[in-house]
Amino acid sequence: MQGFFGRYLMVDVGARRWEVVPLDQERLRRTLGGKGLATQLLLEKNPAGVDPLSAENHLIFALGPASDTAIYGSCRHGIFSKSPLTGLYGESYSGGRAAIPMSRTGYDAIVLQGASSTPVWLEISDGTVQFHDAADLWGKDTFATEDAVLERCGVDGAAAVVIGPAGENLVRYAVVENDYWRSAGRCGMGAVLGSKKIKAVVFHGSRSRPVANPEGIKAYARRTVQDLKDHKATQAYRTHGTPMMVALLNTVGGFPTRYWAKGALESWRKISAEILVDRWGARPKACRTCFIGCGKYVEIQEGRHKGLKIEGPEYETIYAFGGLCEIDALDEIAHLNDLCDRLGMDTITAGNMAAFAIEASRRGKIQERLHYGDVDAIARLLENIAKRQGLGDLLAEGVRPAAAALGLEDLAVHVKGMEPAGYDPRALKGMGLAYAVSDRGACHLRATFYKAELTGLIDPQQIEGKAQLFLDFEDRCTLFDCLILCRFYRDFYPWEELSKIIALTTGEEWEKADLQGLASRVVDSTRLFNLREGLTAADDRLPKRLLQEPLEDGRRLTEEELTRMLQDYYRLRGWNSEGVPSGHGSTD
């Protein structure tokens, strides 16, 4: 089977040792790399019930057979571990350019175990692993850290992934950054690196991925860009990027606002894509091997943040700070975005935590006086979270522990400890199912099912047949995470195109049924990991507020409707009524 190096790297950070471990063909064929391979390695290597911030928790960088090829949308890498935020399966992905030098080290996965007693940064190449002192980098922000380690490495084409103060201080939603503005954002992967005292990892090498049909891949890529560079989806992302969703979600009443109390922000036009592009002149910025250019690079030209340069803010950051915190100035949202990037903190969780704290203040549960729209107070709160100072120390633990400590469990909005993205499940009921069953907690990207509901592929309020369509979306997205491909190529790579990409890279000729079988195995594996860590069917639920409080227009998702979708999903997955995969009645 082509498309793989047939080996992974095992690095013991505490002992400062490393070894190369072979991967057999059958394992690669059954997992297809990426998420599939990393999940199997986590199941094997992580002790059941391990503390996510202990030395025994493993962190895995993984790539797929499309990595470092001409296939468009392939410049992404995945990071996998047990999540410090949820205590369950953790996965996070990032674009930019880091996947290429990561691949050129010549490994299908890089597994980090143990913990250093002092701060280090790692340099991983195709020939060796070097451990460098990072004491003088500890405390620096992500931008300064990336600049410093790349300069010290001194290798043209090298790439770095880094953590900021939030990761060092074990904030449970700390991110891993690369290329300044690209983030492996969810699940707290930055905290796992911080617990191992790893400030950065630099990758470089000269290995070429042994694909099955190199010339065929080049020809396929040429046809892809010729056929799709003017596609309406391409033009929409290139012109307005993800902020175009601000208008759409407010129009359908699914834009979470005022900490999930409302479905629209009256002043949403002030934080729309039109401001970003038409007023600020944002330019498209693409990852390597991408013609879409969904990123929006901008330099703010006026106001108190004049001179701020940023790629963003993305839709999810705008929803989190603009909607939930009711900040209706895009330059202020960009400022908070920049602050989170430098501190190394997930903007979705950070925005949710800020809005939660505002509500806690309004209810008299904390001494701090916080108000919706108060940018400076929110900025101070973010810095306190990253430094674990005052109230920030509690909020750094995540919304579930914070809500328990403050007696606000009925207020908190999360699934399995992770907050949802900017799609209200009362308006888009399929997103309720998506949040409930996602292996990493409330997540919009494991299936991107908002796409089906917003484009009319299925009625957002429909329950019947929803789980079946959702399964198709989830399985295809799972394959994207094995290969590893960008979600925004979902319009361009339906099942038949995925078959072509797999044939060109691996040489394997697989039909849709074969691909669905592989995806189902990966989904089952992540489920088994979570069951082993204590998950039950009771965790596949939405928070009380989203099931009991209707939106302003009366739309709601009832407990009965969610249960029907869940049972349909379990049945279609071949799981029993408690959500346990067939043949796995025991998870010991």
Side-chain angles (χ1 to χ4, degrees), residues 382-575:
L382 296 177
E383 295 202 21
N384 287 337
I385 289 171
K387 297 173 183 176
R388 282 188 172 268
Q389 294 179 345
L391 176 64
D393 188 38
L394 174 62
L395 299 182
E397 291 296 298
V399 71
R400 183 166 51 186
L406 298 174
L408 293 173
E409 290 96 335
D410 288 349
L411 171 70
V413 175
H414 68 89
V415 178
K416 304 178 177 76
M418 178 178 283
E419 306 81 3
Y423 305 89
D424 197 303
R426 291 166 290 190
L428 305 170
K429 293 187 177 181
M431 288 305 297
L433 176 62
Y435 294 148
V437 301
S438 166
D439 46 33
R440 69 176 189 175
C443 177
H444 63 302
L445 290 174
R446 305 284 56 80
T448 67
F449 201 65
Y450 58 88
K451 175 79 175 181
E453 297 191 297
L454 289 173
T455 58
L457 193 57
I458 193 167
D459 189 323
Q461 295 294 299
Q462 179 179 330
I463 298 300
E464 294 299 327
K466 188 144 280 186
Q468 185 163 10
L469 182 60
F470 175 82
L471 217 73
D472 190 79
F473 270 66
E474 185 181 40
D475 281 346
R476 190 158 62 96
C477 285
T478 298
L479 286 176
F480 270 53
D481 291 338
C482 292
L483 284 168
I484 295 172
L485 298 172
C486 173
R487 283 291 187 273
F488 295 157
Y489 281 76
R490 67 195 160 201
D491 294 317
F492 307 148
Y493 297 152
W495 289 103
E496 57 269 25
E497 296 303 318
L498 290 177
S499 293
K500 293 176 185 176
I501 291 170
I502 290 169
L504 290 167
T505 55
T506 71
E508 299 285 320
E509 299 286 345
W510 288 342
E511 301 297 327
K512 180 179 178 179
D514 302 316
L515 300 181
Q516 288 174 311
L518 189 148
S520 292
R521 287 196 300 273
V522 175
V523 172
D524 284 357
S525 293
T526 62
R527 185 69 174 187
L528 291 174
F529 182 95
N530 281 339
L531 290 168
R532 190 182 75 176
E533 300 307 312
L535 178 86
T536 69
D539 296 301
D540 293 341
R541 314 303 302 175
L542 296 185
K544 278 186 178 180
R545 289 183 61 204
L546 299 187
L547 293 173
Q548 295 178 359
E549 297 178 14
L551 290 169
E552 307 99 301
D553 60 8
R555 283 179 299 173
R556 61 185 303 178
L557 174 63
T558 67
E559 182 86 33
E560 180 187 4
E561 288 173 326
L562 178 61
T563 298
R564 284 170 58 195
M565 289 192 291
L566 278 169
Q567 288 301 320
D568 284 348
Y569 175 84
Y570 291 167
R571 176 177 51 80
L572 291 166
R573 275 270 169 241
W575 300 354

Side-chain angles (χ1 to χ4, degrees), residues 67-262:
S67 301
D68 195 19
T69 71
I71 299 294
Y72 281 100
S74 63
C75 194
R76 293 183 67 77
H77 63 274
I79 307 179
F80 305 83
S81 189
K82 184 177 179 181
S83 167
L85 183 64
T86 67
L88 299 170
Y89 182 85
E91 60 182 318
S92 203
Y93 303 85
S94 182
R97 64 182 188 89
I100 292 175
M102 194 181 294
S103 177
R104 291 180 184 177
T105 62
Y107 303 107
D108 297 310
I110 295 169
V111 182
L112 306 181
Q113 66 176 13
S116 176
S117 58
T118 58
V120 296
W121 66 274
L122 308 183
E123 182 179 352
I124 299 177
S125 71
D126 50 356
T128 189
V129 176
Q130 298 181 64
F131 301 83
H132 301 284
D133 178 58
D136 64 323
L137 299 176
W138 210 248
K140 290 187 179 297
D141 71 25
T142 58
F143 294 3
T145 301
E146 185 173 354
D147 289 342
V149 295
L150 289 176
E151 181 181 358
R152 294 176 190 185
C153 172
V155 175
D156 288 342
V161 300
V162 305
I163 65 170
E168 297 171 3
N169 292 319
L170 309 185
V171 175
R172 292 180 182 269
Y173 39 96
V175 305
V176 181
E177 296 264 341
N178 61 278
D179 301 294
Y180 280 15
W181 301 293
R182 297 289 174 168
S183 305
R186 309 225 71 189
C187 295
M189 299 296 102
V192 179
L193 281 183
S195 72
K196 298 181 181 302
K197 289 286 196 297
I198 299 173
K199 182 62 172 173
V201 186
V202 176
F203 305 94
H204 60 84
S206 57
R207 297 261 183 160
S208 296
R209 186 169 293 276
V211 294
N213 189 345
E215 293 306 312
I217 288 174
K218 293 176 184 177
Y220 182 84
R222 286 194 296 270
R223 288 194 303 272
T224 300
V225 73
Q226 288 168 3
D227 294 345
L228 299 171
K229 68 180 186 301
D230 296 323
H231 190 281
K232 63 180 182 179
T234 303
Q235 293 306 311
Y237 277 117
R238 173 166 284 275
T239 302
H240 288 121
T242 61
M244 65 182 168
M245 303 300 287
V246 172
L248 180 55
L249 268 298
N250 274 281
T251 300
V252 302
F255 186 71
T257 301
R258 203 172 182 83
Y259 196 54
W260 297 91
K262 300 163 61 179

Side-chain angles (χ1 to χ4, degrees), residues 283-303:
R283 305 193 306 270
K285 193 171 188 294
C287 300
R288 290 281 295 272
T289 63
C290 179
F291 56 79
I292 292 178
C294 72
K296 293 291 160 278
Y297 178 79
V298 67
E299 180 176 351
I300 296 177
Q301 299 296 325
E302 57 187 13

